[in-house]
């Protein structure tokens, strides 16, 4: 993905929220590397839907397809 602009608005609107490893830690929403991205969200249907919409907008705006074969989803409860 590479740019956090698509993630800022949903956070401001409350559709996505920062994820904390523990109560006293800083929150995290994403980590971008040279050719990899890690995006974190809470395991609420509303947040997962918001993330899916962001990824769809990204694909359309940049005319790129996410590599579904190399895409992973991990759920932590």
């Amino acid at each position: 993905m590479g740019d956090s602009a698509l993630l800022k608005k949903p956070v401001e609107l409350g559709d996505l929220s920062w994820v904390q490893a523990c109560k006293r830690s800083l929150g995290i929403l994403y980590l971008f590397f040279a050719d990899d991205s890690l995006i974190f969200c809470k395991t609420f249907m509303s947040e997962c839907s918001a993330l899916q919409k962001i990824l769809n907008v990204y694909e359309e705006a940049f005319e790129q397809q996410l590599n579904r074969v190399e895409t992973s989803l991990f759920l932590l409860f």
Side-chain angles (χ1 to χ4, degrees):
M1 201 155 166
D3 188 349
S4 63
L6 289 173
L7 296 169
K8 289 179 183 177
K9 184 83 170 179
V11 170
E12 291 172 2
L13 295 173
D15 295 334
L16 284 178
S17 53
W18 300 89
V19 176
Q20 292 179 284
C22 63
K23 289 183 181 181
R24 295 183 183 176
S25 69
L26 294 174
I28 188 167
L29 182 62
Y30 57 84
L31 295 172
F32 293 139
F33 301 97
D35 59 352
D36 289 311
S37 301
L38 298 174
I39 303 173
F40 303 89
C41 72
K42 295 183 179 177
T43 55
F44 299 123
M45 192 58 142
S46 59
E47 291 211 15
C48 294
S49 294
L51 182 55
Q52 183 62 51
K53 288 178 187 175
I54 292 166
L55 296 176
N56 290 339
V57 168
Y58 173 82
E59 287 182 321
E60 290 177 23
F62 294 98
E63 297 180 352
Q64 295 181 353
Q65 289 289 104
L66 295 176
N67 186 336
R68 306 281 190 225
V69 174
E70 293 185 14
T71 300
S72 299
L73 174 66
F74 299 96
L75 301 175
L76 303 174
F77 298 96

